[in-house]
Amino acid sequence: MSSPMLHGVDDPSRRSGRDPAGGVPVWKLRTRDLVLDRPAVMGILNLTPDSFSDGGRLPDVAAQLERAHAFVEAGADLLDIGGESTRPGARPVAPAEELRRLAPLFERLTEIPAPVSIDTRRARVAEEALQAGAEVVNDVSGLAHDPEMAGRVAEWGAGLVLMHMRGDPPTMVEFAHYANVVEEVVEELGVALERARRAGIEESRVVLDPGIGFAKDAEQSYALLAQLARLGALGRPVLVGPSRKRFLAGEAGLPPDQRVEGTLAACVAAFERGARVFRVHDVRSARRALDVAHRIRRAGREDA
Ligand code: HH2
């Protein structure tokens, strides 16, 4: 069965965004293809009481669906739903609690007019989300936390965000030691990609994420963004998640809700270095900024 295509293919204005080197990259999700012929925006929907920037904001399913619709209207290409905060120092929640937070939205997941990604490290949670209609599993542990996760993703043929992290959220700050952060992240993501392949996950379903802020201090996060193009060596599209993170606080120590401009700068810089998918809280702003960056790139090509 051929997969339905999302955005781009039937819009001639976007065809000039084609990569002259080898066609438009496509990310295969569970039942559809996401054509990455323009920057794809992934809106963050945290159903958590304690996320670092938006915890406790979506108390019931009505509010969650309203936000989901608003994100799609503002230009989100997919939504990332999470029931566990993984900010530095966060205490893990029991799987039953993670599921309790997510269950009401799972029941109405098909009402969301965009592909849904489930941000979880647990196979049981991923399974329930996929049964409810999710298209992607976003595992911040890079398949390392739950030994059943890789097999479950393979069985379902789900899309996968494979993110780099060391340790786990309570301990990861201690692991932010690298001789060369860029080399080591590329190498460790390569190992994770090989593990995914061996578990039967098709490479075409995977996007790679350097894990900004996960076992990385501010300098390391900046170095990874600066050299993001190096991740391209692994042959898969790159997703970045700089949104409102601590490395953007600067000398003024800006709180999360004042890191939007920094987030947009980081997204545009990442786009310039090859990133294709952007996980953000501020969907409308990211959509606008990335659309302009994309037009500038296309204009440059048309001039050439
Ligand atoms: N960052 C967070 C959570 N999930 N997934 C991917 N693939 N990449 C990321 O950079 C990423 C992620 C942390 O951000 P947030 O969800 O806003 O916070 P919290 O973990 O406190 O819920």
Side-chain angles (χ1 to χ4, degrees), residues 42 44 46 48 50-54 80 84-88 90 119 138-140 161-163 209 211-214 239-243 245 279 281:
M42 175 189 252
I44 302 171
N46 280 324
T48 48
D50 58 340
S51 286
F52 78 94
S53 98
D54 60 351
D80 191 39
E84 182 194 39
S85 172
T86 48
R87 71 185 188 286
D119 184 350
N138 172 21
D139 181 355
V140 298
V161 182
L162 201 52
M163 199 195 81
D209 179 346
I212 300 296
F214 286 84
L239 178 151
V240 284
S243 194
K245 285 187 178 164
R279 181 183 181 276
H281 300 90

Coordinates of all heavy atoms in Angstrom, one line a residue, residues 42 44 46 48 50-54 80 84-88 90 119 138-140 161-163 209 211-214 239-243 245 279 281, ligand 1:
M42 N 7.4 20.6 14.6 CA 6.7 19.7 15.6 C 6.3 20.5 16.8 O 7.2 21.0 17.5 CB 7.7 18.6 15.9 CG 7.3 17.6 16.9 SD 8.7 16.5 17.4 CE 8.3 15.0 16.6
I44 N 5.0 21.0 20.6 CA 5.2 20.3 21.9 C 3.9 20.4 22.7 O 3.4 21.5 23.0 CB 6.3 20.9 22.7 CG1 7.6 20.8 21.9 CG2 6.4 20.1 24.0 CD1 8.8 21.5 22.6
N46 N 2.9 19.1 26.2 CA 3.3 18.3 27.4 C 2.1 18.2 28.3 O 1.6 19.2 28.8 CB 4.4 19.1 28.1 CG 5.8 18.8 27.5 OD1 6.0 17.7 27.0 ND2 6.6 19.8 27.4
T48 N 2.1 17.2 31.4 CA 2.9 17.0 32.6 C 2.6 18.1 33.6 O 2.4 19.3 33.2 CB 4.4 17.0 32.3 OG1 4.6 18.2 31.5 CG2 4.8 15.8 31.5
D50 N 5.0 19.2 35.5 CA 6.3 19.7 35.9 C 7.3 20.0 34.8 O 8.5 20.1 35.1 CB 6.9 18.7 36.9 CG 7.1 17.3 36.3 OD1 6.4 17.0 35.3 OD2 7.9 16.6 36.8
S51 N 6.8 20.1 33.5 CA 7.8 20.4 32.5 C 8.4 21.7 32.7 O 7.7 22.6 33.3 CB 7.1 20.3 31.1 OG 6.8 19.0 30.8
F52 N 9.6 21.9 32.2 CA 10.3 23.1 32.6 C 9.7 24.4 32.1 O 9.8 25.5 32.8 CB 11.8 23.0 32.2 CG 12.1 23.3 30.8 CD1 12.4 24.6 30.4 CD2 12.0 22.3 29.8 CE1 12.7 24.9 29.0 CE2 12.2 22.6 28.5 CZ 12.6 23.9 28.1
S53 N 9.0 24.4 31.0 CA 8.4 25.7 30.5 C 6.9 25.7 30.4 O 6.3 26.8 30.4 CB 9.1 26.1 29.2 OG 8.3 25.7 28.1
D54 N 6.3 24.5 30.2 CA 4.8 24.6 30.0 C 4.1 23.6 30.9 O 3.0 23.2 30.6 CB 4.5 24.3 28.5 CG 5.1 23.0 28.0 OD1 5.8 22.3 28.8 OD2 4.7 22.5 26.9
D80 N 4.0 16.5 19.2 CA 4.7 15.6 20.1 C 4.1 15.7 21.5 O 4.2 16.7 22.1 CB 6.2 16.1 20.1 CG 7.1 15.0 20.8 OD1 6.9 13.8 20.6 OD2 8.0 15.4 21.6
E84 N 5.8 12.7 30.6 CA 6.9 12.6 31.6 C 7.9 13.7 31.3 O 8.4 13.8 30.1 CB 7.6 11.3 31.5 CG 8.7 11.1 32.6 CD 9.7 10.0 32.3 OE1 10.0 9.7 31.2 OE2 10.1 9.4 33.3
S85 N 8.2 14.6 32.3 CA 9.2 15.6 32.0 C 10.6 14.9 32.0 O 10.9 14.0 32.9 CB 9.2 16.6 33.1 OG 10.3 17.5 33.0
T86 N 11.5 15.3 31.1 CA 12.8 14.8 31.1 C 13.8 15.9 31.2 O 15.0 15.8 30.8 CB 13.1 14.0 29.8 OG1 12.6 14.8 28.7 CG2 12.3 12.7 29.8
R87 N 13.4 17.0 31.8 CA 14.3 18.1 32.1 C 15.4 17.6 33.0 O 15.2 16.7 33.8 CB 13.6 19.3 32.7 CG 13.2 19.1 34.1 CD 12.3 20.2 34.7 NE 12.1 20.0 36.1 CZ 11.3 19.0 36.6 NH1 10.6 18.2 35.8 NH2 11.2 18.9 37.9
P88 N 16.6 18.3 33.0 CA 17.7 17.9 33.9 C 17.2 17.8 35.4 O 16.6 18.7 35.8 CB 18.7 19.0 33.7 CG 18.4 19.6 32.4 CD 17.0 19.5 32.2
A90 N 14.9 15.9 36.6 CA 13.5 15.5 36.7 C 13.4 14.0 37.3 O 14.2 13.2 36.9 CB 12.7 15.5 35.4
D119 N 6.2 11.1 23.0 CA 7.5 11.4 23.6 C 7.6 10.5 24.9 O 7.1 10.9 25.9 CB 7.6 12.9 24.0 CG 8.9 13.3 24.5 OD1 9.7 12.4 24.9 OD2 9.1 14.5 24.7
N138 N 9.0 9.1 19.9 CA 10.2 10.0 20.1 C 10.8 9.5 21.5 O 10.2 9.8 22.5 CB 9.6 11.4 20.3 CG 10.7 12.4 20.7 OD1 11.9 12.1 20.6 ND2 10.3 13.5 21.3
D139 N 11.9 8.8 21.4 CA 12.5 8.2 22.6 C 13.8 9.0 22.9 O 14.8 8.8 22.2 CB 12.8 6.7 22.3 CG 13.4 6.0 23.5 OD1 13.7 6.7 24.5 OD2 13.6 4.8 23.4
V140 N 13.7 9.8 23.9 CA 14.9 10.6 24.3 C 16.1 9.8 24.8 O 17.2 10.2 24.8 CB 14.6 11.7 25.3 CG1 13.5 12.7 24.7 CG2 14.2 11.2 26.6
V161 N 12.1 9.0 16.4 CA 13.1 10.1 16.7 C 14.1 9.4 17.6 O 13.8 9.0 18.7 CB 12.5 11.3 17.3 CG1 13.6 12.4 17.6 CG2 11.4 11.9 16.5
L162 N 15.3 9.3 17.1 CA 16.4 8.7 17.9 C 17.3 9.8 18.4 O 18.0 10.5 17.6 CB 17.2 7.8 16.9 CG 18.1 6.7 17.4 CD1 17.3 5.8 18.4 CD2 18.6 5.9 16.2
M163 N 17.2 10.0 19.7 CA 17.9 11.2 20.3 C 19.1 10.8 21.1 O 19.2 9.7 21.7 CB 16.9 12.0 21.2 CG 17.4 13.4 21.5 SD 16.5 14.1 22.9 CE 17.5 13.4 24.2
D209 N 18.5 13.1 16.3 CA 18.5 14.3 17.1 C 19.7 14.4 18.1 O 19.9 13.5 18.8 CB 17.1 14.3 17.9 CG 16.9 15.4 18.8 OD1 17.8 16.3 19.1 OD2 15.8 15.6 19.3
G211 N 20.0 16.0 20.7 CA 19.7 16.0 22.2 C 20.2 17.3 22.9 O 20.9 17.2 23.9
I212 N 19.8 18.4 22.3 CA 20.3 19.7 22.9 C 19.9 19.7 24.4 O 18.7 19.5 24.7 CB 19.6 20.9 22.2 CG1 20.0 20.9 20.7 CG2 20.0 22.2 22.8 CD1 21.4 21.1 20.3
G213 N 20.9 20.0 25.3 CA 20.6 20.1 26.7 C 20.5 18.8 27.4 O 20.4 18.8 28.7
F214 N 20.6 17.7 26.7 CA 20.6 16.3 27.4 C 22.0 15.9 27.6 O 22.7 15.5 26.6 CB 19.8 15.3 26.6 CG 18.3 15.5 26.6 CD1 17.7 16.4 25.8 CD2 17.5 14.8 27.5 CE1 16.3 16.6 25.8 CE2 16.2 14.9 27.6 CZ 15.5 15.8 26.7
L239 N 16.5 16.2 13.4 CA 15.5 17.0 14.2 C 16.3 17.7 15.3 O 17.2 17.1 15.9 CB 14.5 16.0 14.7 CG 13.4 16.6 15.6 CD1 12.1 15.7 15.5 CD2 13.8 16.6 17.1
V240 N 15.9 18.9 15.6 CA 16.5 19.6 16.8 C 15.4 20.1 17.7 O 14.3 20.5 17.3 CB 17.4 20.8 16.4 CG1 18.8 20.4 15.9 CG2 16.7 21.8 15.5
G241 N 15.8 20.1 19.0 CA 14.8 20.6 20.0 C 15.4 21.6 20.9 O 15.6 21.4 22.1
P242 N 15.7 22.8 20.4 CA 16.4 23.8 21.3 C 15.3 24.6 22.1 O 15.7 25.4 23.0 CB 17.0 24.8 20.3 CG 16.1 24.7 19.1 CD 15.6 23.3 19.0
S243 N 14.1 24.3 21.9 CA 13.0 25.3 22.4 C 13.1 25.7 23.8 O 12.9 24.8 24.7 CB 11.6 24.6 22.1 OG 10.6 25.6 22.2
K245 N 15.2 26.3 25.9 CA 16.1 25.6 26.8 C 17.1 26.5 27.5 O 17.4 27.6 27.1 CB 16.8 24.4 26.1 CG 15.8 23.3 25.9 CD 16.5 22.0 25.3 CE 15.4 20.9 25.2 NZ 15.8 19.8 24.4
R279 N 11.4 20.8 16.9 CA 10.5 20.6 18.0 C 10.4 21.8 18.9 O 11.4 22.2 19.5 CB 11.0 19.4 18.8 CG 10.1 19.0 20.0 CD 10.8 17.8 20.8 NE 9.9 17.4 21.8 CZ 9.9 18.0 23.0 NH1 10.7 19.0 23.3 NH2 9.1 17.5 24.0
H281 N 7.9 24.9 21.3 CA 6.7 25.3 22.0 C 5.9 26.4 21.3 O 4.7 26.4 21.4 CB 7.1 25.8 23.4 CG 7.8 24.9 24.3 ND1 9.2 24.8 24.3 CD2 7.4 24.0 25.2 CE1 9.5 23.9 25.2 NE2 8.5 23.3 25.7
Ligands
HH2_1 N1 13.6 17.9 24.6 C1 12.7 17.7 25.6 C2 11.8 16.6 25.6 N2 11.8 15.8 24.5 N3 12.6 15.1 22.4 C3 13.5 15.3 21.4 N4 13.5 14.4 20.4 N5 14.4 16.3 21.4 C4 14.5 17.2 22.4 O1 15.3 18.1 22.4 C5 13.6 17.0 23.5 C6 12.6 16.0 23.5 C7 12.7 18.6 26.8 O2 11.8 19.7 26.5 P1 10.3 19.8 27.1 O3 9.4 18.7 26.5 O4 9.8 21.2 26.8 O5 10.5 19.7 28.6 P2 10.2 18.6 29.7 O6 11.1 17.5 29.4 O7 10.5 19.3 31.0 O8 8.8 18.2 29.6

